[in-house]
């Protein structure tokens, strides 16, 4: 075939009417087509290399089949697999992702939102929201890896509280009774929920004294983790374990303890959260909680597509399970 394939070519290959093929390949009308038929049409389109004329469709339907994805820090290894899950979930429905990075700057976030709206995107997936944010909902929006306190926006997160409980029980099982916490920023749901999980877990195990041993890091970074760990250990030098708000903060704990001449895990056990790439190659390898990064992104894409199709439906909060990963950074407490 010397010419570009058309919708009629796709329909003929799939054995359906051209109108059916068109509906199957349009995210806004795919639900009108039997799932098996829609999959057959999609396979025919892929085999022929058919690409819909998105500009023409945008003029007809006033939609772009593009979703804006805004993340706080591309350098954080947690986010690339989440973005990959988002892209795959959107692509299955004929959408593409327009990704922007804010470097944690609210002004940059506002600029990106404005610019993306100017491109008539169909919805947003945001990984940048703070707990207090009041997000206006003129454009369908889903929060990923974070959520706001009011619960009015659909969100997908890992089970932060369950993960912290797993870590605290693991440390307590090793004989640790003096467990401190270097928490993430309290204005972010990830930092706050893990901090609350730490309080609940230590209290339920009768470790009330540990609930005072908390320092909040200024950011989910190694540098902020280092500074917060030094503050924590200056105030509570007898701690035998430190539960970090995420893996990057845990790496900051490593460097702070090294600076103080204290060994991990010989003197102080350290745990992280997220199981980001390469923490298994740290020395010592990091005990942490594994979150389903890719699945979080893919589920966020699914929620956004649902929200675009039914913008007045109640907001869903999806929480995905986590698992404990035991490695070499934790050991039995010294008697």
């Amino acid at each position: 075939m010397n010419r570009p394939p058309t919708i009629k070519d796709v329909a003929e290959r799939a054995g359906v009417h051209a109108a059916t093929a068109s509906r199957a390949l349009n995210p806004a009308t795919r639900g009108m087509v039997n799932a098996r038929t829609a999959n057959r049409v999609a396979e025919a389109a892929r085999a022929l290399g058919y690409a819909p004329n998105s500009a023409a469709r945008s003029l007809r339907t006033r939609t772009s089949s593009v979703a804006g994805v805004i993340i706080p820090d591309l350098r954080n290894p947690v986010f690339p697999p989440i973005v990959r899950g988002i892209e795959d979930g959107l692509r299955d429905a004929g959408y593409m992702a327009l990704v922007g990075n804010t470097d944690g700057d609210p002004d940059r976030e506002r600029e990106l939102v404005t610019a993306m709206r100017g491109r008539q995107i169909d919805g947003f997936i945001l990984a940048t929201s703070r707990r207090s944010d009041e997000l206006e909902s003129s454009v369908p929006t889903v929060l990923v890896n974070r959520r706001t306190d009011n619960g009015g926006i659909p969100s997908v997160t890992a089970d932060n509280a369950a993960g912290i409980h797993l870590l605290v029980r693991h440390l307590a099982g090793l004989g640790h009774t003096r467990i401190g916490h270097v928490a993430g920023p309290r204005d972010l749901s990830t930092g706050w929920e893990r901090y609350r999980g730490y309080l609940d877990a230590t209290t339920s195990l009768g470790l009330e004294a540990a609930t005072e041993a908390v320092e909040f890091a200024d950011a989910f970074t190694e540098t902020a983790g280092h500074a917060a760990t030094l503050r924590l250990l200056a105030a509570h030098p007898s701690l035998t374990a430190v539960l970090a708000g995420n893996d990057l903060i845990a790496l900051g704990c490593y460097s702070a303890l090294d600076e103080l001449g204290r060994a991990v895990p010989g003197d102080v056990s350290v745990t992280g959260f997220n199981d980001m790439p390469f923490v298994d190659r740290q020395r010592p390898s990091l005990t942490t909680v594994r979150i389903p990064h890719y699945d979080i992104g893919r589920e966020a894409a699914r929620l956004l597509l649902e929200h675009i199709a039914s913008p007045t439906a109640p907001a869903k909060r999806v929480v995905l399970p986590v698992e404990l990963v035991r490695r070499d950074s934790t050991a039995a407490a010294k008697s």
Side-chain angles (χ1 to χ4, degrees):
M1 185 182 293
N2 295 324
R3 59 178 174 77
T6 67
I7 192 67
K8 290 183 179 179
D9 297 322
V10 174
E12 183 177 342
R13 185 181 181 97
V16 299
H17 192 276
T20 301
S22 179
R23 284 193 291 269
L25 294 175
N26 185 343
T29 57
R30 182 183 173 95
M32 300 167 61
V33 181
N34 175 275
R36 182 176 297 176
T37 300
N39 289 336
R40 192 166 72 249
V41 171
E43 179 56 37
R46 281 193 292 269
L48 292 173
Y50 172 76
N53 187 332
S54 58
R57 187 169 72 193
S58 179
L59 288 172
R60 291 195 310 270
T61 65
R62 298 181 183 271
T63 64
S64 64
S65 295
V66 176
V69 179
I70 300 180
I71 61 175
D73 187 0
L74 264 176
R75 298 166 300 178
N76 186 329
V78 166
F79 290 110
I82 290 176
V83 172
R84 179 61 184 271
I86 291 171
E87 289 181 324
D88 287 354
L90 292 174
R91 185 172 62 247
D92 288 348
Y95 273 73
M96 67 173 290
L98 182 61
V99 180
N101 177 65
T102 71
D103 288 325
D105 182 349
D107 291 334
R108 175 61 178 156
E109 181 178 349
R110 283 189 286 271
E111 290 172 3
L112 285 170
V113 168
T114 300
M116 289 181 179
R117 279 183 177 155
R119 293 176 179 267
Q120 295 184 319
I121 63 162
D122 294 341
F124 282 106
I125 296 178
L126 305 179
T128 52
S129 297
R130 292 163 179 78
R131 293 172 52 219
S132 60
D133 283 352
E134 294 292 336
L135 301 172
E136 61 91 10
S137 55
S138 61
V139 177
T141 299
V142 169
L143 308 182
V144 64
N145 200 49
R146 294 186 185 171
R147 57 190 180 192
T148 58
D149 286 350
N150 65 24
I153 304 292
S155 62
V156 185
T157 63
D159 195 335
N160 292 303
I164 293 297
H165 276 257
L166 288 171
L167 290 169
V168 172
R169 287 198 294 270
H170 168 65
L171 291 170
L174 292 172
H176 293 279
T177 57
R178 299 187 300 278
I179 304 170
H181 182 34
V182 179
R186 70 186 84 195
D187 64 331
L188 303 179
S189 63
T190 40
W192 183 252
E193 289 174 4
R194 292 170 194 176
Y195 161 67
R196 293 299 311 175
Y198 164 83
L199 295 184
D200 291 342
T202 51
T203 300
S204 68
L205 291 173
L207 307 176
E208 288 86 355
T211 61
E212 302 174 2
V214 177
E215 280 290 335
F216 286 90
D218 295 334
F220 278 115
T221 64
E222 184 173 350
T223 299
H226 177 101
T229 302
L230 291 178
R231 296 195 303 269
L232 176 67
L233 292 173
H236 303 276
S238 66
L239 294 176
T240 62
V242 174
L243 190 154
N246 78 344
D247 293 342
L248 289 173
I249 289 176
L251 298 186
C253 293
Y254 276 23
S255 62
L257 287 163
D258 182 64
E259 182 179 318
L260 295 172
R262 303 179 74 176
V264 178
D267 297 315
V268 179
S269 288
V270 175
T271 67
F273 203 111
N274 287 337
D275 195 31
M276 69 182 191
F278 306 118
V279 293
D280 58 327
R281 300 183 186 179
Q282 296 294 321
R283 293 294 177 267
S285 58
L286 182 64
T287 293
T288 186
V289 164
R290 178 173 296 149
I291 72 171
H293 306 89
Y294 177 86
D295 293 341
I296 286 173
R298 196 166 183 108
E299 185 68 11
R302 186 188 68 78
L303 274 193
L304 180 62
L305 294 169
E306 276 189 4
H307 196 17
I308 291 170
S310 303
T312 60
K316 294 181 180 178
R317 280 193 168 191
V318 176
V319 179
L320 297 184
V322 299
E323 62 178 304
L324 175 67
V325 181
R326 298 176 179 84
R327 297 196 180 105
D328 298 333
S329 65
T330 53
K334 291 183 177 178
S335 56

